[in-house]
Structure formats: structure tokens, C-alpha cells
Amino acid sequence: MPSDIHSHTNNAGFFEIRMESIGGLGANLAGKMLAEAGVLKLGFNGSNFSSYGSEKKGSPVKTFVRFAAAETEIRSSSPIEEPHVVAVFHESLLRTQNCIVGLESHGVLIVNTAKSPDDIRVLTGLKSGVVLCVDALQIALEEKSRVNTAMLGALCRIIDFLDPEAVKTVISETLGRKYPTLAAANLRTFDRGFREGSISLYPAETNGDVYEPFVHPIPDLGYDSQALGGAIINPGNSITRDLSASRQGFLPAFSQEACIHCAACDEVCPDMCFVWNAKQDSRGRTFQYLQGIDYQYCKGCLRCIQACPTDALTTIRETDTYATDHRVRHQ
Ligand code: SF4
Ligand code: SF4
């Protein structure tokens, strides 16, 4: 990576970063702090904005940061399609969307994950470039902070024209103003994000190409293909709805043995994840029996755990296959 911004900017003179995240992980704030450090502390030109749909915890968010040398004006406010660096704040996003689209062949992919760079390369299909894996969630848990400052640490490790001390100053000023008690924890988180994690380099056969060009998504229905009368021919339904990418690393584990089938969990679950079946008790009376959780619809809010009067529901850190291995499907 360059020590001087000039040596690695694109044809427009920009160095571009795209953060892929979900609402609640702090990518928007991370982008703001990074841009502020670059512009106000380091003297670059810069811009930053985010793109998201409903402002809801768990929904996908993209945050964009552009830097340029002081003499280069940034007149673009378009989304970053061919970034030098992609930072993925939530590993599950790699399964639900093409996070690396547009990344150049020498680009850098940073992922919040406990996996190795080789595993991430296989998961994403990345052909070449640099992969940095940092377990930002574990760091944030241990430091009682958030993943965004660990990801900022990782970004500063890989982008060496960004002075980490400048970013730390902005973190102190920003969090110190709003949440003074959190500033110290987030600075420790930043340092660990900077130091920890593993990096692998996968050499490119070509020089500086974008190996998978960005393709603008084309909606299935447009003004010339919409059914007459605006009829909705594929109505919204919950069968294909997958909320797994909304989980922030945790989900409820269910123990059949400890369950008393009181349905307190079902009453608080916003997504009707609990799967019930009729069963007969020893006296032949029919009752509703909790079979388990349909994890496809679980966004990991963990309300059910607070509601459960027994130890039938417990919080666990999500591992790769837990949800698919333990999913009980709605009939
Ligand atoms: S964590 Fe519990 S309450 Fe929240 S969506 Fe999942 S099953 Fe429902
Ligand atoms: S709240 Fe707990 S005990 Fe009651 S049905 Fe749900 S899992 Fe079972």
C-alpha cells in the first residue's frame, strides 16, 4: 500500500473506500470519523456519505469515503463503484450480497471475521489482492465497545497514508463529546483492530484492473415492463425473506429439555420465528408444543431470551453452520 496518496489514486485522482455494513454497527459514524481525520487532521480533500434504505437496525448500509491530495478537488458525490478498499463490517453480508464487486485486482478486502484470509477468499471468490481478517466483534466484546472502531484500526493498518494518531484524535473528540466513558474503550478497540488480524496477499496476474466490473442493478420491473394497471404479480411474502444478515454475531439457542412451552418468547418475537406443533400430553389433552426456531427469520434481537422464564433460550455467538444445522422450518 502507498505511503503517499498520489501513488495509488485512480484516474480521477481519488483514493476510494467502500464500507459494507448493516444498521447498528456504526459504519456511518466510522466513515464520518475517517473522512474528518483525513480532511481536518491530515490535509487531504475528502468526502463521505452513506446509503441505506429504512433507518433500521439490521438493514444493509453502504458508507463511502473518498480522499484526494490537497490540490485535487472532489466534485463527485456518486457511490463508489470501483474502490481501492472494501471493508465488510459483518461477515454474513458476504453470503447475501456481492461485497467485492468493482474491487480492483490489487485492492484490499477487510472483513470482520474469525475466519482466515484463505477462507474469506474462497467464500468471496476473490481472485487477487489483499485480504485482512480481523475479529472486530470479539475485540468489541472484550473491550465493551463497538466493531466500528476496530474496523477503523484495520483500515489505518492497511492504508498507510492515513496516520492512526489522527484518526484516534477524531475518535476521542467525537466519542468524548457524546459518550465520554466510551472513548477510552474505543481507543483500545482501535489499537487492537490496528494490531490484530491476519493478512494475506494474493498476487494479481494483471496490473491494476478491476477484475469484476461494477454492474448497475437493473430492477426486474421498470416503466416499460411493469404489468398493466400496476398489478403486483409477485406479491411480497415471507417465504424468501432471509434476515440472517441482520444478526450482529449472536442468536438464541434453544434447549427443548428446559422449555415449559409458555410462549413468552413468541409474544415478544417481532418476526414470528418460533415454530409450534400440536401434541398430546400424558392425559391425552392437546397442547401447543414449541419445536424450535426458524433461524431464517431471526434477526438476532435477543428479546426472546429476556422473556424466557427458564434457561430454554440462551445467547450464543453465531458460528458458520449453527443456524442452518438447528433451523426448524415453518410448515
Ligand atoms: S432473537 Fe428471538 S425475538 Fe429476536 S428475532 Fe430471533 S427469535 Fe425472534
Ligand atoms: S419462553 Fe422459554 S420456556 Fe417459554 S416457550 Fe419460549 S423457550 Fe419455552
Side-chain angles (χ1 to χ4, degrees), residues 193-263:
F194 186 88
R195 276 196 320 268
E196 297 179 17
S198 43
I199 297 182
S200 287
L201 169 66
Y202 305 101
E205 286 168 12
T206 56
N207 196 14
D209 297 339
V210 171
Y211 78 82
E212 188 177 349
F214 186 88
V215 178
H216 286 276
I218 299 171
D220 291 341
L221 295 174
Y223 74 95
D224 59 350
S225 55
Q226 177 70 48
L228 282 179
I232 299 172
I233 54 175
N234 181 17
N237 59 66
S238 61
I239 294 172
T240 55
R241 191 159 162 72
D242 186 344
L243 293 179
S244 59
S246 298
R247 295 193 288 264
Q248 298 189 15
F250 302 94
L251 44 59
F254 175 57
S255 160
Q256 192 76 255
E257 294 71 40
C259 181
I260 56 172
H261 311 288
C262 66

Side-chain angles (χ1 to χ4, degrees), residues 260 262-269 274 302-313:
I260 56 172
C262 66
C265 51
D266 207 1
E267 279 181 21
V268 297
C269 178
F274 291 91
L302 308 178
R303 284 186 206 169
C304 52
I305 292 167
Q306 289 164 11
C308 181
T310 72
D311 291 333
L313 293 172

Side-chain angles (χ1 to χ4, degrees), residues 124-138:
T124 56
L126 188 88
K127 290 181 189 138
S128 63
V130 175
V131 179
L132 166 57
C133 293
V134 59
D135 198 348
L137 179 61
Q138 188 61 35

Side-chain angles (χ1 to χ4, degrees), residues 15 78 112 132 134 142 178 331:
F15 187 91
S78 60
N112 168 17
L132 166 57
V134 59
E142 289 170 7
K178 275 173 105 177
Q331 298 298 318

